[in-house]
Amino acid sequence: MFDIVSSGLVLIVVSWLILLCMLIKWLEDAKNSAYELEIIERESADASKPKKAKRYVRADGKVVDCILKPRKKERGEKIKKSPIYASTRVGKDGEEFRFYKIRSMCPGAEGMKQALIDAGLNEADPPAFKMKDDPRITRFGRFLRKTSIDELPQLINIFIGKMSVVGPRPPLPKEVAEYSDYQKQRLAVKGGLLCL
């Protein structure tokens, strides 16, 4: 009852903000519809860094520069540009559902994830993927993440009963496929907006 009432009330209050952020994100993506991620391994941290590059130090001490560049969309190429990011997540008792956020990354970001994993930049324990300062995040996306406004559409998931206000983050199906029996215990409760 708390989840339904609280998410419903907050949705009424912040719906204008969600719509405004979706419009701004749509305008940001309309300007640059396609991107490419260039990953360069450096000899040392003293190597010169390109102007818009983000520099990372891998767990093995190697230095990597990542540059997100706008590019021209290729003929016939389809890139999702919706301001809402929807993905399949696993909830309580292994039930899959659609999970919503305002997209903070560039169009085509999912296709770049494997390159970041291959470059050794995953900061989470596999099968999860996490980067504190992900190079695929756009300028407006950084603001969304810093303020956690990108998470507000999950109130819809809470209102319809697929998530709870408090609970573990709902994982991706491919992460759950690699879970140990111990890790599968997190599926005994609904995933949550506020995490643990």
Side-chain angles (χ1 to χ4, degrees), residues 49-68:
K49 182 175 96 165
K51 187 178 177 184
K52 293 191 176 184
K54 289 189 180 279
R55 179 155 285 175
Y56 305 92
V57 179
R58 297 189 324 204
D60 63 4
K62 300 252 182 180
V63 177
V64 178
D65 286 342
C66 294
I67 308 161
L68 185 66

Side-chain angles (χ1 to χ4, degrees), residues 39-85:
I39 300 173
I40 307 161
E41 194 170 304
R42 301 292 184 188
E43 293 298 317
S44 72
D46 299 330
S48 63
K49 182 175 96 165
K51 187 178 177 184
K52 293 191 176 184
K54 289 189 180 279
R55 179 155 285 175
Y56 305 92
V57 179
R58 297 189 324 204
D60 63 4
K62 300 252 182 180
V63 177
V64 178
D65 286 342
C66 294
I67 308 161
L68 185 66
K69 301 183 198 173
R71 67 170 173 83
K72 291 201 184 250
K73 194 170 135 180
E74 294 177 21
R75 190 179 196 143
E77 182 180 18
K78 294 191 185 216
I79 297 174
K80 288 184 181 179
K81 293 195 321 184
S82 168
I84 290 289
Y85 169 74

Side-chain angles (χ1 to χ4, degrees), residues 70-134:
R71 67 170 173 83
K72 291 201 184 250
K73 194 170 135 180
E74 294 177 21
R75 190 179 196 143
E77 182 180 18
K78 294 191 185 216
I79 297 174
K80 288 184 181 179
K81 293 195 321 184
S82 168
I84 290 289
Y85 169 74
S87 71
T88 301
R89 297 296 173 107
V90 181
K92 185 176 180 187
D93 300 326
E95 181 187 340
E96 294 185 358
F97 67 96
R98 296 299 284 167
F99 173 90
Y100 303 105
K101 289 177 76 169
I102 299 173
R103 196 162 39 79
S104 58
M105 293 190 181
C106 65
E110 269 303 306
M112 301 172 189
K113 184 161 86 172
Q114 191 58 49
L116 293 168
I117 293 169
D118 294 344
L121 297 175
N122 185 8
E123 296 169 2
D125 293 328
F129 177 83
K130 196 83 167 159
M131 285 184 75
K132 188 176 183 181
D133 188 22
D134 198 309

Side-chain angles (χ1 to χ4, degrees), residues 3 12 25-27 29 34-35 39 51-52 65 80 85 96 114 131 139 145 154 158 162 172-173:
D3 287 341
I12 290 167
K25 183 61 185 159
W26 181 81
L27 290 170
D29 291 343
Y35 291 83
I39 300 173
K51 187 178 177 184
K52 293 191 176 184
D65 286 342
K80 288 184 181 179
Y85 169 74
E96 294 185 358
Q114 191 58 49
M131 285 184 75
R139 189 171 170 191
R145 290 226 175 159
Q154 290 169 49
I158 295 167
K162 298 297 181 184
L172 295 164

Side-chain angles (χ1 to χ4, degrees), residues 166-190:
V166 180
R169 298 296 291 157
L172 295 164
K174 70 179 187 176
E175 293 172 354
V176 172
E178 296 179 35
Y179 274 4
S180 66
D181 287 339
Y182 175 75
Q183 291 169 320
K184 284 180 184 172
Q185 291 180 78
R186 70 182 291 177
L187 303 178
V189 296
K190 287 182 184 178

